Amino acid sequence: MPVPPAGPGVAPPFAAPPTEGRNTRLWLGLGAGALAVLLCCGGGGAAVVGLVVTGVQAVREQGHTVSTDYYQALVERKYGAAYDQLCDDAQRRESRGEFERRVAAEPQISAFRVGEVDATTLTVPVDVTYTGGRQDRQEVVLGQDRETGGMEVCGVN
C-alpha cells in the first residue's frame, strides 16, 4: 500500500533558506555597524575638542583673575598680597622684604586695565596709569602652580 500524503501541520525535514532580501539585510547590517562606529569615534572626538576648549577658557579666566588681583594689591599698596600672587620661581629670586621695598620705591600705580590672556604664550597685557597721569603698557608673564594647578604671576615686563 502506498504512503499517504503528508497532511496539514507536517513540517518539512529542513527549513528553506530565505531567497529574497539577502543583499538588503547585509547592507543594512553593515550600515548599522558603520553608524555605531561613527557615533563612538565622533563622540570621542567631540569630547577631546570640548576638553581643549574648556581648558583654554580656564587658563584665560585664571590668568585674568590673578593679574587683576596682583595689580589691585599694588594699587591698594598691599605689597604682601601682591607678593603672594607670584610664582615660586619669582619668590625664590626675590624675598618678600626685597619685593616690598622695590615696589614701594617704584612709581605708584593708580589705575590699570587687564587685557586678554594669550593662552599660547601665557602672557597678559596690562595698561597701567601711575599717579600723576603717566601711562604705560606692561606684560604679565604667567605660570602654573605645580601644587594647585592655578595660574600665578611669574614676572612683569
Side-chain angles (χ1 to χ4, degrees):
M1 183 175 234
V3 178
V10 174
F14 58 88
T19 56
E20 293 181 26
R22 286 184 109 175
N23 288 335
T24 305
R25 272 189 235 122
L26 173 69
W27 287 110
L28 283 175
L30 288 174
L35 181 62
V37 168
L38 181 65
L39 287 175
C40 290
C41 292
V48 168
V49 169
L51 285 173
V52 168
V53 168
T54 303
V56 168
Q57 288 175 343
V59 165
R60 287 185 175 148
E61 287 175 14
Q62 287 183 14
H64 191 274
T65 300
V66 75
S67 300
T68 300
D69 292 348
Y70 177 78
Y71 277 93
Q72 189 61 42
L74 293 178
V75 167
E76 296 172 0
R77 297 182 183 185
K78 296 180 179 177
Y79 303 131
Y83 184 81
D84 292 338
Q85 299 297 320
L86 296 177
C87 67
D88 293 339
D89 289 341
Q91 289 180 353
R92 276 192 289 276
R93 287 191 304 265
E94 189 173 35
S95 72
R96 181 181 294 270
E98 293 169 337
F99 175 81
E100 289 176 357
R101 283 189 293 280
R102 179 181 60 82
V103 175
E106 292 176 350
Q108 176 64 36
I109 296 173
S110 61
F112 65 92
R113 189 185 70 74
V114 177
E116 292 295 318
V117 176
D118 185 342
T120 13
T121 60
L122 293 179
T123 56
V124 185
V126 180
D127 295 321
V128 175
T129 304
Y130 298 99
T131 51
R134 187 171 67 91
Q135 295 183 340
D136 190 18
R137 175 167 267 208
Q138 298 179 349
E139 185 176 69
V140 175
V141 179
L142 301 171
Q144 189 171 21
D145 187 311
R146 289 187 176 100
E147 293 176 14
T148 65
M151 301 303 292
E152 296 176 317
V153 174
C154 284
V156 178
N157 302 328

